[in-house]
Amino acid sequence: MTEATPSRPTPRAGIMEIEAYVPGKSAAASGVSKIHKLSSNENPLGASPKVIEAVRDVAGRLEFYPDGSATRLREAIAEAHGLNPANIVCSNGSDEILGLLAQAYLSPGDEAIFTEHGFLVYKIYIQAAGATPVSVREKGERADVDAILAAVTPKTKIVFLANPNNPTGTYLPFEEVRRLHAGLPGNVLLVLDAAYAEYVRRNDYEAGVELVAGSQNAVMTRTFSKIHGLGGLRIGWMYAPSHIVDVINRMRGPFNVNAGAIEAGIAAMRDRGHVDRTIEHNERWLRWLTEEMTKLGLRVTPSVGNFILVHFPDGEAHSAAKADDYLAARGYILRRVSGYGFPNALRMTVGTEEANRGVIAALTEFLKS
Ligand SMILES: *Cc1c(COP(=O)(O)O)cnc(C)c1O
């Protein structure tokens, strides 16, 4: 029997099951004089002044195509991180690399694993590739290596792990990541998404460089969107074995990293001072916010990133949704995380001193109301 020809173009199976990603809000109620956007883990110090200068320079030569292999940017990243530039691929945000990896290594019928409270973008890219998303339960709001390994089947082709994870802020020590990798068959790709690596102040953490350098089935993805304050320019990169670099370079757009992004990225890599100031700011206010929220009786998942997951009390009176509305009406934009399996929590980015103090003051009033 031949199937009826559809009357209009139809996407591949699976595409219409995708729930489109909902980014953090950026607008607040009208009548609020100042808005503090604390919903997308952006850098409260902004981009480095040196980066802004570099982008201004590019404005004078916008007619020229960028270098399609982003060679100088890869060299700047390699120098800062002690890597071989030939094992780096740059991208239009790290999201692009995550999507390309899914397109390259997943076929319909394949499975790809991510964790219960893991970054939602993985599921979207798995579905977009026509493969089956497999969500694995976490333990104590942290990825569980044994549960991930138990979920691996002959159909599994990729394991996505955000380390640290968004929105929980929890991380797996390197020994655990190593154990995960050791337990995977050689044909399963381990994608270590280290978007928040720079913020982690723990001796037992490693972003993934060692694993990538010592194996054929692990990659590490990184971003300029968080610590470098460049979310608006879209710059990410991957450190990977040569055979994976080759695959992604065949698939990606020929000029996937634009000229402004290339120059901004180079300047950002060379401005260690801005990174250090950002880390210092984050350490101080991450601790302060965690303590203050706890004093208010709100549970905070221990975070090593630049954001915290705040859990609200059971019952309608002081729910996360009500807190979100209350804060938004006062100009503080946080992130609802129901889609991540936390219907009664909000994620808050560590902001400026003014924003952090303002949120705590507002929540103090809210909880009394
Ligand atoms: C923010 C974030 C990214 C970065 O995305 P970009 O596309 O580089 O802006 C990647 N992974 C996680 C877990 C994130 O939170």
Side-chain angles (χ1 to χ4, degrees):
M1 196 184 86
T2 54
E3 279 185 41
T5 307
S7 62
R8 56 180 197 182
T10 14
R12 179 165 54 192
I15 303 286
M16 296 314 289
E17 270 114 72
I18 296 174
E19 280 179 55
Y21 186 79
V22 182
K25 284 186 299 226
S26 34
S30 56
V32 178
S33 58
K34 186 162 183 188
I35 287 171
H36 298 277
K37 187 171 185 291
L38 304 166
S39 58
S40 300
N41 300 342
E42 292 141 338
N43 186 334
L45 308 186
S48 148
K50 289 174 186 161
V51 169
I52 295 167
E53 191 56 40
V55 173
R56 283 216 177 89
D57 278 354
V58 177
R61 37 194 162 86
L62 294 179
E63 68 276 36
F64 298 115
Y65 273 88
D67 165 20
S69 7
T71 306
R72 288 167 45 248
L73 175 55
R74 287 188 296 109
E75 285 168 357
I77 294 168
E79 194 182 315
H81 290 268
L83 306 173
N84 181 351
N87 291 98
I88 294 171
V89 180
C90 295
S91 56
N92 185 43
S94 54
D95 281 351
E96 185 192 19
I97 283 282
L98 297 169
L100 288 169
L101 289 166
Q103 291 294 333
Y105 293 99
L106 297 175
S107 303
D110 288 341
E111 295 172 357
I113 293 174
F114 57 97
T115 64
E116 189 182 353
H117 305 298
F119 193 38
L120 277 175
V121 156
Y122 310 142
K123 186 178 178 194
I124 293 175
Y125 289 140
I126 295 164
Q127 290 175 298
T132 306
V134 176
S135 170
V136 169
R137 67 171 174 74
E138 298 191 2
K139 206 175 191 171
E141 293 166 5
R142 207 184 76 156
D144 178 352
V145 168
D146 295 306
I148 295 172
L149 290 175
V152 173
T153 76
K155 291 179 180 169
T156 307
K157 295 292 155 54
I158 300 185
V159 173
F160 287 101
L161 181 73
N163 196 29
N165 184 48
N166 167 17
T168 52
T170 57
Y171 77 106
L172 283 189
F174 184 47
E175 279 315 310
E176 283 291 281
V177 179
R178 201 200 288 277
R179 192 163 74 79
L180 170 61
H181 179 258
L184 293 175
N187 71 324
V188 175
L189 176 64
L190 176 60
V191 177
L192 297 168
D193 176 350
Y196 301 95
E198 296 89 346
Y199 289 105
V200 185
R201 311 278 95 192
R202 294 288 189 281
N203 291 330
D204 59 357
Y205 174 78
E206 214 269 330
V209 170
E210 271 192 61
L211 263 188
V212 174
S215 74
Q216 294 297 313
N217 66 328
V219 304
M220 170 185 74
T221 62
R222 302 288 288 261
T223 182
F224 283 74
S225 301
K226 307 289 157 57
I227 193 107
H228 298 291
L230 292 172
L233 272 181
R234 315 302 306 125
I235 324 169
W237 56 281
M238 164 183 82
Y239 177 56
S242 305
H243 72 101
I244 297 178
V245 166
D246 177 49
V247 166
I248 299 303
N249 276 333
R250 288 166 195 262
M251 300 174 70
R252 67 176 173 82
F255 305 102
N256 62 330
V257 185
N258 69 70
I262 288 176
E263 297 308 326
I266 293 169
M269 274 294 130
R270 292 180 181 157
D271 191 353
R272 184 66 217 179
H274 190 72
V275 169
D276 289 341
R277 280 189 292 280
T278 303
I279 292 171
E280 241 170 73
H281 176 92
N282 193 66
E283 255 195 296
R284 173 173 177 208
W285 291 103
L286 177 69
R287 189 180 315 127
W288 187 83
L289 281 169
T290 305
E291 285 168 6
E292 294 300 314
M293 294 285 183
T294 308
K295 280 188 220 161
L296 289 178
L298 301 174
R299 182 171 75 83
V300 176
T301 305
S303 171
V304 295
N306 68 335
F307 55 89
I308 50 172
L309 184 66
V310 185
H311 304 265
F312 286 79
D314 292 336
E316 273 297 292
H318 297 119
S319 68
K322 287 224 168 90
D324 187 37
D325 291 342
Y326 189 93
L327 290 168
R330 286 152 185 81
Y332 302 103
I333 313 300
L334 275 64
R335 183 76 144 93
R336 292 199 192 188
V337 282
S338 312
Y340 286 94
F342 295 111
N344 202 25
L346 295 176
R347 191 191 68 198
M348 175 187 176
T349 306
V350 174
T352 59
E353 171 167 1
E354 184 193 356
N356 299 334
R357 291 191 187 281
V359 168
I360 294 298
L363 281 178
T364 305
E365 288 308 307
F366 167 73
L367 291 167
K368 278 189 217 151
S369 67

